[in-house]
Amino acid sequence: MIDPSAVRPSARQLAWQRQELTAFVHFGPNTFTDLEWGTGLEDPAVFAPTDLDCSQWVDTLVSAGFKSVILTAKHHDGFCLWPSKYLSHSVGASYGRDVVAELSAACRDGGLGFGVYLSPADLYQEKAPGGYYGNGSTAVSSRIGDFTYVVDDYNRFYLQQLHELLTSYGPIAEVWLDGANPTSSAQTYAYDAWFDLIRRLAPDATIAIGGPDVRWVGNEDGFARETEWSVVPFAQGEMVAAQTAPAVAGPAELAQADELRWYPAEVDVSIRPGWFYHASEDSAVKSLPELLDIYRKSVGRNAVLLLNIPPDRRGQFAAPDVEALQAFGAAVRDYYETAVPLPGAINVISLREDIAAGQQVESFAVDALIDGTWTELAQGTTIGHRRLLALDTPITPADVRFRILSARAACRVTLSVHYDPTIA
Ligand code: FUL
């Protein structure tokens, strides 16, 4: 049996996890056609923001506590938010401004990390005459910048796009490889070549979802599992359990492993029902209690929260989203990053494991000293980077302590206590 206590995060995974909050920005033709998945046949002229201001996104995100942002440089419809020299179906065709460049510059100015979503599925390349997606071409030796890969037409095109994004708009913090495909047509992806190019050009970037550094938590509703391990069992190069399984790294899965990897979870969820902006959803922006519940169940369950905020047709975050983000940022600072000195009223327990030394805690209990007696408040399973436990009713203890009930190896855990008035 392989020893799960020996698995450690890479430096890039550790830096990624410590950021806790990453923003997602879905922006493209869908913003203007009111769709969630475009067709690939949109006229590039539909993409026409009336007052694009990427600094407004960055200023809002920075003040809300986000540490980086990932932009849909290309969503499934294939339209590119930068003037790629490999196709005309981009902002270069009509709009004229380079959204990727504007956001990456604003991020540099604002001190926000910048990541890219480059959809592997590409309906424009699938449907346009002469498109590369699934065209049955054979793999040939192909020059991509200074590197050579043996790939077919679509994979060459995808590598060229990656090369453009990673060399002209860097540094890149995260590359998000969405697994979804609206048509599931036959095109295989040369993942090894993609990963190799990303590692060479952006060695600090995490490669998420389809990649080796960060896994999809398995839902888009904003929560990680009660038991969320970053040490994940693999057999023959694949995760033992499906990413959506109720347990991906428990004893049953570990027993089937021929390899263990540090593979932490990312929770992607939108601040609105859709990923793209729809005016009809202006009244459906998540409330502060909802956002804080998501925070506790993502960051507070050993995951990174990837919260999507879609710009409107002006090219700015809409007022309800800005308001929600401001309230969220202030609440995280005041309630979750500020500890309550005891004695005092509390309703949140926070535990942190030093994950540079791996993830070791299997179960723990928390006790409170009330009226001179220690009483058990709660029990939990994994801790990892951070565990947040909300209490149904506030208490005013003289002291709080934790007990590790079971751990894979010695570990360092720290406790703090908090008060969140939005918990009903
Ligand atoms: C999914 C996509 O199909 C959605 O449109 C969105 O981009 C979401 C984050 O991932 O797989």
Side-chain angles (χ1 to χ4, degrees), residues 205-224:
T206 43
I207 312 176
I209 315 307
D213 300 312
V214 171
R215 80 184 143 88
W216 181 45
V217 77
N219 68 74
E220 291 179 336
D221 301 319
F223 62 90

Side-chain angles (χ1 to χ4, degrees), residues 24 26 36-37 72 75-76 117 176 178-182 220 268 275-276:
F24 217 175
H26 278 66
E36 278 292 307
W37 278 358
T72 52
H75 201 250
H76 306 329
Y117 169 116
W176 218 83
D178 197 336
N181 188 326
E220 291 179 336
D268 61 317
W275 293 101
F276 286 87

Side-chain angles (χ1 to χ4, degrees), residues 293-315:
D293 188 51
I294 286 174
Y295 176 80
R296 285 190 298 276
K297 290 175 177 163
S298 54
V299 175
R301 288 184 182 172
N302 188 35
V304 163
L305 171 56
L306 176 59
L307 181 67
N308 179 67
I309 307 99
D312 61 16
R313 291 182 182 178
R314 293 171 307 163

Side-chain angles (χ1 to χ4, degrees), residues 28-29 32 40-49 79-81 87-96 124:
F32 301 87
L41 300 173
E42 288 80 9
D43 179 344
V46 303
F47 183 81
F79 180 82
C80 297
L81 295 187
L87 79 172
S88 56
H89 194 66
S90 76
V91 286
S94 159
Y95 179 56
Y124 177 73

